[in-house]
Amino acid sequence: MANLIFLISLLVLLQAIISAAVWLSDANATFYGDIDGGGTMQGACGYGDLFKQGYGLETTALSTALFNNGYACGACFEIVCRNQTNWSYCKKGVGPIRVTATNFCPPNYGEGTGHWCNPPYKHFDLSMKMFTTIAEYRAGIVPIYYRRIPCHKQGGVKFELKGNPYWFMVLVYNVGNAGNVSGVRIKGSNTGWLTMSKNWGQNWDIGGNFIGQSLSFMVTTSDGKTLEFDQVVPSNWQFGLSYEGKHNF
Ligand SMILES: *[C@@H]1O[C@H](CO)[C@@H](O)[C@H](O)[C@H]1NC(C)=O
Ligand SMILES: *[C@@H]1O[C@H](CO)[C@@H](O)[C@H](O)[C@H]1NC(C)=O
Ligand SMILES: *[C@@H]1O[C@H](CO)[C@@H](O)[C@H](O)[C@H]1NC(C)=O
Ligand SMILES: *[C@@H]1O[C@H](CO)[C@@H](O)[C@H](O)[C@H]1NC(C)=O
């Protein structure tokens, strides 16, 4: 028994060591929107109202190098401001901020400044509230340390239904742990399991008419874990509504 407990503790410890991501320093951060989050609504990940959906202001847009064509949407990061040798706009004594990737910071091939989101730069464009938590507003741009962390979400994975009688799309959000989704399958009460395609952001689609059927989803996150949400959507579902799963990753 003691041996078993020892073995389990060892495994838990190993797991903790493996999952503790190292801090990376090859990125900078800026901010967008205003302090109340103006500009943080609909974005390239397909999430809707970030406040209603539980992401709030704890969000970031990612440059092309990090966005991974939307596959990074939903992943979570810890970020701290990185002091320079002879200057610092970092705020003193603040711990890391935690943010979810909810948008894309597009490249700017125009004249002048502000090319930080262009490939190959790794860049986090934070909500103003998050930026000013770690750095002075007047800095505008600061170097950072960042690392990927597990996402902590309240409640179950949520599914927002979109589309029309011929074409069906679902936004998968409020995803815990790995946070970003790499595959979605759907099963109507009249169908078998069908593989959906990533349309844009975290919107997944498939042709066909699912009206009047109760729906189940099988969601796979970027760490390879798959959860089944059995009949998470009742047969009287409607486009535009969200349905919450009983569990999360
Ligand atoms: C961060 O900003 C510094 C200073 O402007 C720049 O030299 C560096 O290339 C930037 N790094 C990234 C990853 O964008
Ligand atoms: C999930 O997000 C991470 C962090 O941005 C990224 O490295 C990874 O490629 C994403 N996973 C998939 C399956 O795209
Ligand atoms: C930091 O030091 C470098 C090298 O001495 C200098 O070129 C640069 O102007 C300094 N930056 C600031 C903000 O003082
Ligand atoms: C940045 O470095 C300076 C000088 O070493 C130090 O006084 C200051 O506390 C540092 N700031 C942060 C936020 O670590």
Side-chain angles (χ1 to χ4, degrees), residues 35-166:
I35 199 72
D36 303 318
T40 55
M41 300 294 273
Q42 176 90 24
C45 288
Y47 302 126
D49 183 328
L50 295 176
F51 295 96
K52 269 196 203 155
Q53 294 185 337
Y55 297 105
L57 291 171
E58 286 75 38
T59 56
T60 186
L62 302 176
S63 64
T64 304
L66 293 170
F67 190 65
N68 197 11
N69 198 25
Y71 278 104
C73 289
C76 295
F77 297 90
E78 242 173 18
I79 296 174
V80 289
C81 182
R82 182 154 51 90
N83 228 351
Q84 299 300 282
T85 45
N86 59 350
W87 62 272
S88 177
Y89 286 118
C90 298
K91 287 195 176 159
K92 289 184 189 176
V94 287
I97 50 166
R98 293 177 166 185
V99 291
T100 305
T102 54
N103 210 343
F104 175 52
C105 180
N108 168 13
Y109 295 112
E111 302 278 311
T113 57
H115 300 124
W116 37 71
C117 283
N118 291 17
Y121 298 126
K122 291 180 178 171
H123 192 90
F124 291 81
D125 199 19
L126 300 164
S127 68
M128 186 196 282
K129 178 159 184 270
M130 286 296 102
F131 182 88
T132 54
T133 299
I134 56 169
E136 302 293 342
Y137 169 83
R138 69 195 151 96
I141 177 168
V142 290
I144 56 167
Y145 289 114
Y146 68 99
R147 65 178 176 183
R148 184 142 174 235
I149 55 161
C151 299
H152 298 285
K153 302 295 176 200
Q154 283 183 345
V157 171
K158 294 180 186 174
F159 303 88
E160 186 182 327
L161 311 185
K162 308 173 180 187
N164 57 45
Y166 312 99

Side-chain angles (χ1 to χ4, degrees), residues 216-238:
S216 304
F217 294 101
M218 223 188 267
V219 177
T220 303
T221 44
S222 60
D223 55 355
K225 283 188 188 145
T226 299
L227 280 186
E228 189 175 322
F229 298 88
D230 195 31
Q231 297 190 33
V232 60
V233 176
S235 57
N236 64 349
W237 63 266
Q238 286 173 35

Side-chain angles (χ1 to χ4, degrees), residues 165-187:
Y166 312 99
W167 175 78
F168 182 86
M169 187 156 90
V170 62
L171 169 74
V172 185
Y173 66 101
N174 199 49
V175 180
N177 217 348
N180 53 345
V181 172
S182 58
V184 179
R185 273 171 285 176
I186 184 172
K187 185 181 170 313

